[in-house]
């Protein structure tokens, strides 16, 4: 099987010769060659001053000595790449057939809680050059099952590995949130902490971004956005491609082996009353001849958790999520926190 057959049809002409298909218009973006060094946090001896500066001025930082076993992340990458390399039609059939909460998506990172792609409004013209798996960790309690024994074995190995990875990364997220809360002088009980950051909401998305011909126009692997999460934790391969907005410019975040990238989401910005920021970011590979693989963990407040801030109308996370989905479906894009500013009407 040719590797190109593993990608969605809308990706294939871009990969082959850079021509844009009628069903996959890709918005050109300017080439940006500036690299930037984001703050580094040592998880073994966490410096609260550096953490405060990173959250306030950047909304993103690199985490070293994070404690997630390198052997585990290597095995997870190997098996997820193997599954993603299956023919496109086979992946669709496989994940539709398995008795599992795992789901396969492509062309957009905008998904609902079940992992299904949101139907985007007429104003949305871009197809994101990304595909992947959505994994709600709290539902990985039973083994996967399907008719294909070989694929069942591979899926079950994937489930076991990503569940183990989830245990490590969720502990990291809780410890980071508690440290960040201390920098904000938030005195939270264990119940309050689990309302603001609920491990039951944790999910992992495994992403693959395809290569494209050198003559192809620049194409976004993932469009400009902020995360809706409290905290997101990214493990990426050596290809790179993550870019962040700093000031009014885009900068490329260089990959560094055996580190994690932590970025704050919209909920952390609201919880901090805008003292900390949810960073704008996108994915645009500099090297278009190689694929990119990454794994990202997202964690959210409890759905009925009430977020109060002097900068926004009070809202629960479920209300925020519903508004984001309504905007994506009607306007083709996420609006996010500005929808909840005192002057903004809601359009649910």
């Amino acid at each position: 099987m040719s590797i190109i057959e593993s990608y969605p049809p809308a990706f294939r002409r871009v990969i082959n010769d850079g021509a844009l298909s009628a069903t996959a218009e890709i918005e050109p973006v300017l080439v940006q060659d500036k690299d930037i060094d984001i703050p580094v946090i040592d998880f073994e001896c966490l410096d609260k001053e550096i953490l405060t500066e990173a959250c306030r001025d950047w909304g993103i930082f690199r985490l070293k000595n994070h404690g997630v076993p390198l052997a585990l992340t290597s095995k997870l990458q190997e098996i997820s790449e193997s599954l993603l390399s299956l023919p496109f039609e086979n992946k669709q059939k496989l994940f539709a057939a398995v008795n599992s909460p795992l789901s396969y998506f492509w062309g957009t990172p905008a998904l609902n809680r079940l992992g299904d792609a949101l139907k985007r409004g007429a104003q949305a013209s871009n197809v994101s050059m990304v595909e992947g798996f959505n994994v709600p960790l709290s539902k990985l309690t039973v083994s996967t099952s399907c008719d294909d024994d070989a694929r069942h074995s591979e899926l079950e190995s994937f489930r076991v590995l990503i569940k183990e990875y989830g245990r490590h990364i969720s502990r990291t997220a809780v410890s980071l949130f508690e440290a960040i809360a201390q920098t904000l002088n938030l005195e939270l009980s264990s119940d309050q902490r689990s309302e603001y950051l609920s491990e039951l909401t944790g999910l992992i998305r495994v992403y693959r971004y395809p290569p494209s011909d050198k003559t192809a126009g620049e194409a976004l692997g993932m469009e400009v956005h902020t995360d809706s999460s409290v905290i997101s934790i990214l493990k990426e391969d050596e290809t790179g491609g993550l870019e962040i907005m700093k000031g009014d410019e885009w900068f490329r975040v260089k990959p560094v082996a055996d580190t994690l990238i932590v970025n704050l989401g919209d909920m952390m910005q609201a919880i901090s009353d805008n003292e900390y920021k949810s960073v704008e970011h996108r994915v645009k590979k500099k090297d278009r001849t190689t694929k990119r693989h990454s794994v990202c963990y997202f964690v959210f407040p409890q759905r009925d958790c009430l977020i109060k801030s002097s900068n926004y109308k009070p809202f629960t996370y479920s209300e925020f999520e519903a508004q984001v989905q309504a905007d994506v479906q009607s306007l083709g894009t996420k609006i996010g926190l500005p929808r909840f500013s005192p002057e903004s009407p809601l359009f649910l």
Side-chain angles (χ1 to χ4, degrees):
M1 182 200 77
S2 168
I3 188 65
I4 195 172
E5 294 177 16
S6 70
Y7 291 105
F11 293 3
R12 293 176 190 174
R13 284 189 64 195
V14 178
I15 296 170
N16 274 337
D17 56 21
L20 304 180
S21 75
T23 58
E25 293 183 17
I26 307 298
E27 178 181 333
V29 292
L30 296 177
V31 175
Q32 175 56 264
D33 291 325
K34 293 183 180 179
D35 291 332
I36 197 167
D37 293 319
I38 60 177
V40 178
I41 301 295
D42 188 336
F43 200 46
E44 290 185 346
C45 50
L46 203 150
D47 187 309
K48 297 294 177 61
E49 290 186 8
I50 298 176
L51 180 62
T52 299
E53 179 184 352
C55 294
R56 183 189 63 231
D57 300 337
W58 293 78
I60 189 169
F61 54 87
R62 189 179 302 282
L63 193 67
K64 68 177 185 178
N65 296 323
H66 46 75
V68 181
L70 179 59
L72 174 62
T73 59
S74 298
K75 288 179 182 177
L76 180 59
Q77 178 173 337
E78 180 181 349
I79 198 165
S80 59
E81 285 186 337
S82 176
L83 287 170
L84 283 164
S85 296
L86 293 172
F88 171 68
E89 291 76 12
N90 291 16
K91 283 182 288 195
Q92 287 189 305
K93 291 177 182 177
L94 177 64
F95 282 87
V98 295
N99 178 24
S100 166
L102 305 177
S103 60
Y104 169 70
F105 63 90
W106 67 272
T108 175
L111 311 177
N112 63 22
R113 285 192 297 125
L114 298 176
D116 300 322
L118 293 174
K119 184 178 180 181
R120 306 180 71 182
Q123 297 181 43
S125 59
N126 296 348
V127 171
S128 295
M129 297 287 284
V130 63
E131 63 172 338
F133 305 136
N134 183 74
V135 184
L137 292 171
S138 65
K139 298 181 180 179
L140 290 182
T141 54
V142 294
S143 64
T144 57
S145 62
C146 67
D147 295 334
D148 186 327
D149 289 340
R151 292 304 168 214
H152 169 261
S153 176
E154 198 166 26
L155 271 177
E156 180 60 13
S157 296
F158 175 75
R159 184 193 71 85
V160 170
L161 285 170
I162 207 155
K163 187 174 181 180
E164 177 64 17
Y165 181 78
R167 280 196 287 264
H168 284 280
I169 212 71
S170 61
R171 286 196 296 264
T172 302
V174 168
S175 297
L176 282 173
F177 178 77
E178 290 174 345
I180 292 170
Q182 290 176 16
T183 68
L184 292 165
N185 295 317
L186 294 178
E187 297 181 2
L188 303 176
S189 66
S190 58
D191 287 343
Q192 289 173 317
R193 194 276 300 161
S194 62
E195 287 182 7
Y196 279 140
L197 184 138
S198 171
E199 292 174 78
L200 292 176
T201 68
L203 63 88
I204 291 175
R205 288 182 182 154
V206 178
Y207 299 104
R208 183 174 74 154
Y209 303 82
S212 59
D213 186 88
K214 290 183 179 181
T215 63
E218 291 290 332
L220 292 179
M222 194 175 292
E223 64 190 7
V224 179
H225 67 288
T226 59
D227 291 345
S228 295
S229 59
V230 180
I231 289 173
S232 305
I233 304 179
L234 175 72
K235 175 64 178 177
E236 63 174 353
D237 65 14
E238 68 281 357
T239 305
L242 175 65
E243 295 188 352
I244 63 169
M245 177 69 79
K246 179 68 171 169
D248 294 322
E249 293 186 82
W250 285 103
F251 294 91
R252 188 172 52 246
V253 179
K254 294 179 292 185
V256 177
D258 200 21
T259 65
L260 301 172
I261 294 176
V262 180
N263 71 268
L264 306 187
D266 298 336
M267 294 303 98
M268 182 62 82
Q269 179 170 324
I271 290 168
S272 72
D273 206 12
N274 281 10
E275 187 170 340
Y276 293 162
K277 63 184 291 185
S278 179
V279 64
E280 278 191 293
H281 56 288
R282 67 187 184 190
V283 174
K284 181 169 69 70
K285 295 194 291 95
K286 180 182 179 182
D287 182 356
R288 287 170 286 163
T289 63
T290 59
K291 63 183 182 296
R292 177 182 189 262
H293 178 275
S294 65
V295 178
C296 195
Y297 169 82
F298 305 88
V299 64
F300 307 87
Q302 292 180 6
R303 291 182 54 74
D304 60 354
C305 177
L306 184 64
I307 309 293
K308 295 182 179 180
S309 166
S310 65
N311 291 283
Y312 307 105
K313 302 169 187 175
F315 62 87
T316 63
Y317 180 70
S318 62
E319 291 171 335
F320 181 86
E321 179 184 55
Q323 183 65 59
V324 167
Q325 293 186 9
D327 286 332
V328 169
Q329 291 173 322
S330 61
L331 303 176
T333 190
K334 169 186 170 181
I335 305 299
L337 284 174
R339 275 283 191 243
F340 293 85
S341 67
E343 299 81 17
S344 175
L346 300 182
F347 294 121
L348 283 176

